[in-house]
Amino acid sequence: MAATRKTTPGFRLFEKRAVYLGGGDTHRFNLSDAILIKDNHIMILGLKECLRRAKDKSSFTKKIEVEIESLEDMLIAAKEGADIIMFDNMDPAKIAEGVDVLKKEGLRERVILEASGGITLDNIKDYGRSGVDVISLGALTKNARWIDLSLEIENDEEWRAKSEIA
């Protein structure tokens, strides 16, 4: 299970650390950790051109992730060399269908498959059975409860008298 990049402003370091300490994957810490091709990029350039530019302009050490909304785009992303395919807001049955398509095409082992968007504690098992490698949840940071920490100082004359250095 992985956290998404979405965190409380000013608290990213703490929230990501909490995910790590809880056994989760911190995913991308910020936008420069990987290349993420989103729906807006695809709308402007087309998926193949986005992948071509990402490969041309990035280091070999950067992973390229494509956020897909259809199985057609999933297949293009896998064939064109995406490292990670993120099924965005797709139901588990559709994702399982996509995993089967990738297997039939001999492409499944080439990519990491991630489910993201609309995943809750109520439906996470269904996503786990869909065949993805990673499930990312904004809820790991967005819905986490904070510990109420406070420092109370009391005026204690007896303690103060004992602690004075003579």
Side-chain angles (χ1 to χ4, degrees):
M1 191 171 323
T4 66
R5 187 181 42 82
K6 299 169 188 162
T7 55
T8 308
F11 288 92
R12 177 168 292 158
L13 179 65
F14 304 108
E15 291 175 346
K16 292 290 191 168
R17 181 76 174 156
V19 168
Y20 171 77
L21 291 173
D25 188 288
T26 57
H27 204 236
R28 290 171 286 127
F29 189 78
N30 60 45
L31 290 174
S32 66
D33 285 343
I35 296 171
L36 176 58
I37 298 172
K38 295 181 65 65
D39 57 350
N40 290 334
H41 305 122
I42 295 167
M43 290 283 283
I44 294 168
L45 294 174
L47 181 50
K48 285 184 181 183
E49 181 63 13
C50 286
L51 281 161
R52 187 192 68 74
R53 288 187 187 194
K55 288 179 193 177
D56 285 350
K57 302 292 182 186
S58 69
S59 168
F60 69 94
T61 63
K62 290 258 191 216
K63 292 212 181 271
I64 300 171
E65 181 169 7
V66 178
E67 180 180 287
I68 60 106
E69 296 177 346
S70 72
L71 298 188
E72 293 78 22
D73 280 349
M74 173 206 68
L75 204 49
I76 292 168
K79 286 180 178 178
E80 296 297 319
D83 298 299
I84 305 164
I85 294 174
M86 179 200 303
F87 295 98
D88 186 41
N89 290 303
M90 198 174 285
D91 68 72
K94 193 73 168 174
I95 293 173
E97 183 182 335
V99 172
D100 287 341
V101 168
L102 290 171
K103 286 178 182 176
K104 287 176 187 168
E105 294 287 327
L107 299 168
R108 173 60 185 98
E109 299 306 316
R110 290 188 190 177
V111 293
I112 296 169
L113 300 178
E114 175 185 356
S116 186
I119 300 169
T120 66
L121 294 177
D122 294 330
N123 64 18
I124 194 167
K125 287 183 183 179
D126 296 329
Y127 282 94
R129 291 185 206 103
S130 71
V132 295
D133 303 303
V134 177
I135 298 172
S136 59
L137 291 144
L140 290 179
T141 53
K142 185 174 58 176
N143 298 346
R145 294 190 172 266
W146 290 83
I147 298 173
D148 184 10
L149 296 176
S150 62
L151 174 64
E152 298 292 333
I153 298 175
E154 295 180 7
N155 187 1
D156 187 338
E157 295 293 329
E158 184 179 330
W159 177 85
R160 193 174 319 153
K162 289 179 184 176
S163 62
E164 287 183 7
I165 299 174

